[in-house]
């Protein structure tokens, strides 16, 4: 028999056996290796999808918490403004009370000073009256003892006033 292209039946049979063996080995390795790799890839794919879903849920939760936080901050700012407003009102009220008290105290001091001034005026008037009486008595005594002319009388008044002034200044 002549061979076509140098192929004989044994070679064809060997090639066929090797092809079947490669196919069996491919099927076996697919089952043994490819399936676990596919399963591993699917598991990884599912895990990534789950992680993305979790991340999205966490992001939504974070956005919700941020909104709550900002709302609480606004509420706190409003409350702080109210507290400051109340503190200002109390301070103004306290200021008015202090000013009113100071005015009343000033009025009391002024009235007390005016009363003391009036008392001092009365004392001075009484002293002046007493001195005038003393001057009059002294002049009358001197005039009576000495009948004098108007020039002597003026000199006598001056002398008496001078004596009275010296006595006042000594005491």
């Amino acid at each position: 028999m002549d061979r076509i292209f140098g192929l004989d039946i044994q070679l064809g049979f060997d090639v066929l056996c090797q092809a079947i063996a490669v196919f069996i080995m491919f099927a076996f390795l697919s089952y043994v290796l490819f399936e676990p790799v596919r399963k591993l890839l699917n598991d990884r794919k599912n895990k990534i999808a789950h992680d993305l879903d979790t991340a999205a849920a966490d992001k939504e939760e974070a956005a919700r918490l941020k909104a709550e936080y900002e709302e609480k901050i606004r509420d706190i700012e409003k409350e702080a403004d109210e507290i400051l407003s109340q503190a200002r009102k109390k301070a103004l009220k306290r200021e008015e009370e202090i000013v009113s008290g100071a005015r009343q105290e000033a009025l009391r001091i002024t009235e007390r000073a005016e009363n003391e001034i009036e008392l001092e005026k009365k004392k001075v008037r009484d002293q002046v009256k007493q001195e005038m009486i003393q001057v009059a008595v002294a002049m009358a005594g001197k005039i009576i003892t000495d009948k004098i002319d108007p020039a002597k009388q003026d000199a006598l008044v001056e002398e008496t006033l001078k004596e009275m002034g010296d006595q006042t200044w000594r005491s």
Side-chain angles (χ1 to χ4, degrees):
M1 271 193 102
D2 281 342
R3 291 195 227 164
I4 304 177
F5 302 112
L7 295 177
D8 60 0
I9 294 185
Q10 183 62 36
L11 185 60
F13 181 72
D14 286 341
V15 169
L16 184 62
C17 282
Q18 281 184 351
I20 291 174
V22 167
F23 178 74
I24 291 174
M25 189 176 290
F26 177 77
F28 175 72
L29 289 176
S30 290
Y31 180 73
V32 172
L33 295 177
F34 291 141
E35 286 299 320
V37 169
R38 277 190 198 130
K39 184 178 183 221
L40 179 70
L41 290 175
N42 280 336
D43 289 347
R44 184 174 170 136
K45 180 181 170 185
N46 291 338
K47 185 177 184 274
I48 290 171
H50 175 69
D51 288 346
L52 288 174
D53 291 342
T54 303
D58 288 346
K59 185 177 178 181
E60 289 174 6
E61 180 69 15
R64 185 185 62 79
L65 290 174
K66 181 182 176 186
E68 279 182 28
Y69 174 74
E70 289 174 351
E71 183 178 338
K72 285 181 181 180
I73 286 177
R74 281 190 297 263
D75 291 344
I76 289 171
E77 287 174 351
K78 287 179 185 176
E79 188 175 335
D81 288 342
E82 289 176 16
I83 290 171
L84 287 174
S85 175
Q86 290 174 356
R88 284 186 198 110
K89 288 177 184 176
K90 285 181 182 178
L92 289 174
K93 184 178 179 183
R94 182 68 179 138
E95 177 186 13
E96 289 174 5
E97 290 173 359
I98 290 172
V99 168
S100 174
R103 283 185 183 144
Q104 290 175 356
E105 183 65 24
L107 286 175
R108 283 193 295 266
I109 290 171
T110 305
E111 287 174 3
R112 194 175 315 129
E114 287 173 356
N115 289 338
E116 288 177 9
I117 290 171
E118 286 298 318
L119 289 175
E120 286 296 318
K121 283 181 181 179
K122 286 180 183 179
K123 282 183 184 179
V124 169
R125 282 187 205 135
D126 289 343
Q127 285 178 352
V128 168
K129 284 180 185 178
Q130 290 297 323
E131 287 177 10
M132 288 176 73
I133 291 171
Q134 287 176 359
V135 168
V137 168
M139 278 178 56
K142 286 194 179 196
I143 290 175
I144 292 175
T145 59
D146 215 8
K147 281 198 172 191
I148 50 173
D149 59 15
K152 263 188 166 182
Q153 187 178 1
D154 288 338
L156 189 58
V157 169
E158 288 291 326
E159 183 183 323
T160 306
L161 285 174
K162 186 176 178 186
E163 286 176 10
M164 294 304 285
D166 289 341
Q167 287 177 359
T168 305
W169 288 112
R170 288 183 200 149
S171 37

